[in-house]
Amino acid sequence: MTDTASTQATGQGVLNAHTRAEALAAMAAEELDILVIGGGIVGAGCALDAATRGLNVGVVEAQDWAAGTSSRSSKLVHGGIRYLEQLDFHLVQEALTERGLLLQQLAPHLVKPIRFLYPVEHRIWERAYVGAGMLLYDLFSYAGGRRPGVGHHRHLSKRQIGLAAPSLRASGIIGGMSYYDGRVDDARYVVNLVRTAVANGAHAANRTEVVGFLQKKGQVIGVTVRDLETGKEFPIRAKQVINSTGVWTGTTQELVHDGGTLRVRASKGIHIVVPRDRFKSVMGLLLRTEKSVLFVIPWGRHWIIGTTDTDWTFDKAHPSATATDIQYVLDHVNAVLDDPITHDDIEGVYVGLRPLLAGNSESTTKLSREHVVVKPKPGLVLIAGGKWTTYRVMANDAVDAAVSELNALAGEGSIPASVTASVPLLGAAGYKASWNRRTRTAARAGLPKSVVEHLLNRYGSMADDLLDIIAADSKQAESLPGNPDYLLAEVTYAVTHEGALHIEDVLTRRTRFNIETRDRGIEAAAVVGKIMGKLLGWNAAAEKAEVKNYRLGIEAEFAAEQQTTDEAANTIRTAVPTITEMPS
């Protein structure tokens, strides 16, 4: 790639094997202002926040972008209506302000409003109690000084509920209420966020693990990293390091030795995915359980149903669902359905770990969803806890903490405040105009309108890049085997623009094959491997190893889900090495 092409790629936020190598070389060659450890939603947010203040920033991630918690959430952008009952008004208000910002300004192509139904069984007290909470929820959504971007709650009669959600069991329900929140493809959002940071000058490298901290006279001055693609180790020096590693916080901090003792507990949340026709409703569903709440969330041709909230003390890279977890979700959703959902209906299962600030409570459901920023040593900032929805606020706070030290060295007030509230993600600018002309775009490209709509809702105004790939090779418009929603062009784009290095990156995060197809992408793996191999220069043995490793991982997931204990499930899933651990 020429210098001009390289500069152009950076300006467009391109992530690929070449720009990754350039980023690693740049981070090794110069002292950064800020290095961010962790490529989840908060780490990516920190990189964008710092870069848009004019700082020299790097971000490294040990696995793939969003490979941990940030790709395995409930896919909701929400205020957390259940936190009202816990009187956590500040958290709800903050999250609702961010929800409005995401929906309307930062990422309207990725964050969409959805309507939820809350069934009511008690005529007077429950309707009044829940109604008051939803009214407060609506009022808080205006607190940030902008319109919420969604409708207000409504009271519904039993007849209205019967028409809107005919799958619900009529007995016991006397009416209900509806309210709005937002939905997001969490993994796609994070990749887009990293790309936006790169477009603003950040250096970004996935599959780059921090294996040690550099210290001088009690101050953190950088890290030692291992490039997991090559095995090479080298130092990255930085004036400030931000540790944003979520459930890995304790593991990362151990590398600092005397770098603080903030405790983070991992809470396991599992979700199942079922076909859209298994629950007939025009709205999602919110149910109370004895421990928390259960959501039924519309997701394209599917419903996502979850979640659980239990301690997880095993491997954090591959948390596993058990038969007990799955049965818990089925039992609770079937309690309100006329036609129960069965194990045979399940298309996908996924598991995420919430990073909760540890406290004295035995139950993870009672631990705080607030975040905390601490400075355990000079040169080191640690951020932990929080909610996906409030990532931007968390990133702002973490970078503020790092900047306070930088300002002390360079002169108070010399570094600007955060501007991310007014920095849309790539693809947001021009999205609405692109959506309005989608019919003409489809006709010009010779594609069904539904395909163009699909691309716009995943890439925003950057959908033109995908259309250019298809224009250059019409075969790229073909669907991947096993799921008609994804095109071959999306695999190509994942490699050339979104930093995908392995088959699992494409099938688990750049697309959602892993949760939307019954075989979890095994059928598509060979096709994906062939496309990736050509673009990344794999030989036949490497391509075969990639396909095999993906298949073994999926087979282990299926086997783990037949177990009744976390320990048994973990033993099965962790027996399969990651692709970077396999012998070459």
Side-chain angles (χ1 to χ4, degrees):
M1 185 180 286
T2 65
D3 289 343
T4 301
S6 178
T7 301
Q8 186 179 36
T10 300
Q12 295 173 345
V14 170
L15 297 174
N16 56 39
H18 185 83
T19 61
R20 175 181 179 274
E22 287 187 328
L24 288 172
M27 287 189 280
E30 59 191 17
E31 183 186 39
L32 303 172
D33 291 320
I34 293 178
L35 174 69
V36 182
I37 308 171
I41 185 68
V42 179
C46 288
L48 177 61
D49 189 289
T52 51
R53 298 188 197 211
L55 297 171
N56 186 10
V57 182
V59 56
V60 293
E61 161 58 41
Q63 301 179 73
D64 182 30
W65 306 116
T69 303
S70 296
S71 64
R72 306 175 188 182
S73 73
S74 294
K75 323 301 182 200
L76 292 176
V77 171
H78 65 135
I81 196 165
R82 70 187 177 103
Y83 302 137
L84 290 175
E85 200 167 36
Q86 301 171 11
L87 306 182
D88 203 343
F89 298 143
H90 171 74
L91 178 61
V92 174
Q93 180 179 322
E94 182 178 76
L96 287 172
T97 299
E98 292 302 304
R99 184 194 70 179
L101 191 62
L102 293 168
L103 279 163
Q104 298 172 90
Q105 186 170 342
L106 299 188
H109 57 309
L110 295 175
V111 183
K112 308 293 182 181
I114 51 173
R115 190 180 179 193
F116 282 103
L117 167 66
Y118 184 98
V120 170
E121 296 180 348
H122 302 281
R123 193 171 300 280
I124 300 175
W125 74 264
E126 187 180 13
R127 187 182 284 278
Y129 179 72
V130 176
M134 290 190 176
L135 176 60
L136 193 60
Y137 201 65
D138 287 343
L139 291 174
F140 277 155
S141 68
Y142 286 90
R146 61 171 55 85
R147 296 185 65 83
V150 297
H152 298 155
H153 83 282
R154 287 183 55 197
H155 285 259
L156 302 174
S157 66
K158 183 174 182 176
R159 180 176 179 277
Q160 287 174 312
I161 289 178
L163 293 172
S167 284
L168 282 182
R169 185 177 297 163
S171 59
I173 296 176
I174 58 93
M177 274 154 280
S178 68
Y179 74 100
Y180 286 86
D181 261 322
R183 180 191 64 217
V184 64
D185 184 330
D186 47 9
R188 172 146 299 284
Y189 191 101
V190 174
V191 169
N192 206 342
L193 188 58
V194 175
R195 291 186 60 189
T196 307
V198 170
N200 282 277
H203 308 295
N206 55 349
R207 306 287 179 183
T208 304
E209 181 183 14
V210 171
V211 295
F213 281 76
L214 306 175
Q215 301 186 57
K216 183 178 181 180
K217 296 181 180 179
Q219 177 169 342
V220 172
I221 59 170
V223 300
T224 300
V225 299
R226 179 184 297 128
D227 179 350
L228 297 181
E229 296 298 304
T230 65
K232 294 179 180 178
E233 294 187 9
F234 56 91
I236 298 176
R237 299 187 179 275
K239 297 172 185 174
Q240 293 285 304
V241 175
I242 297 177
N243 179 5
S244 175
T245 49
V247 294
W248 284 272
T249 296
T251 303
T252 310
Q253 286 300 110
E254 286 174 3
L255 298 174
V256 191
H257 303 302
D258 53 347
T261 56
L262 183 66
R263 290 181 59 236
V264 174
R265 278 172 67 179
S267 167
K268 181 176 71 166
I270 82 121
H271 298 77
I272 64 173
V273 182
V274 301
R276 196 63 180 263
D277 63 5
R278 288 302 294 115
F279 175 55
K280 295 178 176 61
S281 176
V282 298
M283 293 181 276
L285 186 65
L286 170 63
L287 300 172
R288 292 182 69 103
T289 70
E290 68 277 8
K291 295 180 180 179
S292 182
V293 295
L294 191 80
F295 286 102
V296 181
I297 304 158
W299 182 259
R301 303 172 191 264
H302 321 271
W303 294 100
I304 293 174
I305 308 174
T307 182
T308 58
D309 200 338
T310 57
D311 254 331
W312 177 261
T313 58
F314 300 98
D315 179 65
K316 295 180 177 66
H318 299 290
S320 302
T322 65
T324 306
D325 295 326
I326 294 169
Q327 193 59 53
Y328 172 90
V329 173
L330 287 175
D331 288 345
H332 281 81
V333 73
N334 285 336
V336 298
L337 298 183
D338 262 336
D339 183 14
I341 294 170
T342 70
H343 286 273
D344 291 340
D345 295 319
I346 296 174
E347 297 173 298
V349 177
Y350 68 93
V351 191
L353 299 177
R354 304 176 192 87
L356 303 182
L357 296 177
N360 296 323
S361 173
E362 289 300 316
S363 170
T364 55
T365 62
K366 296 178 181 178
L367 292 182
S368 175
R369 263 60 174 179
E370 295 275 9
H371 69 274
V372 65
V373 177
V374 297
K375 299 168 74 173
K377 300 194 72 170
L380 178 63
V381 174
L382 171 62
I383 181 161
K387 281 165 50 64
W388 200 102
T389 304
T390 58
Y391 83 86
R392 196 193 63 80
V393 176
M394 296 170 65
N396 184 350
D397 290 348
V399 176
D400 276 350
V403 162
S404 68
E405 281 197 41
L406 293 175
N407 274 333
L409 295 173
E412 188 66 32
S414 60
I415 298 173
S418 175
V419 297
T420 52
S422 58
V423 178
L425 268 62
L426 294 178
Y431 161 68
K432 292 180 181 178
S434 295
W435 181 262
N436 289 341
R437 61 173 179 265
R438 64 194 185 281
T439 301
R440 287 171 45 215
T441 299
R444 187 171 62 251
L447 296 170
K449 182 180 174 182
S450 60
V451 169
V452 174
E453 290 177 345
H454 163 81
L455 294 177
L456 286 170
N457 282 327
R458 282 172 52 76
Y459 306 94
S461 55
M462 295 187 295
D464 288 343
D465 294 338
L466 281 295
L467 296 176
D468 288 344
I469 292 172
I470 293 169
D473 179 5
S474 60
K475 289 186 177 180
Q476 295 277 324
E478 295 176 4
S479 296
L480 283 163
N483 191 327
D485 289 337
Y486 299 107
L487 310 181
L488 300 185
E490 295 184 78
V491 180
T492 299
Y493 192 75
V495 176
T496 60
H497 286 70
E498 296 180 335
L501 298 173
H502 299 284
I503 288 176
E504 71 161 292
D505 300 346
V506 172
L507 292 178
T508 303
R509 287 172 291 277
R510 305 305 185 277
T511 69
R512 304 322 291 262
F513 258 84
N514 186 271
I515 64 173
E516 294 176 356
T517 58
R518 291 186 182 275
D519 73 347
R520 304 191 188 177
I522 288 179
E523 182 185 0
V527 175
V528 171
K530 192 165 292 296
I531 295 172
M532 296 187 74
K534 184 176 181 180
L535 294 168
L536 292 170
W538 295 344
N539 58 29
E543 182 182 320
K544 184 177 179 180
E546 283 274 347
V547 174
K548 178 182 178 181
N549 183 261
Y550 185 79
R551 176 178 55 78
L552 290 175
I554 296 303
E555 290 173 351
E557 284 182 9
F558 281 126
E561 289 159 17
Q562 304 303 311
Q563 309 306 306
T564 57
T565 68
D566 285 346
E567 183 176 11
N570 178 72
T571 298
I572 291 173
R573 183 59 188 89
T574 55
V576 179
T578 64
I579 189 63
T580 55
E581 294 170 338
M582 293 182 68
S584 57

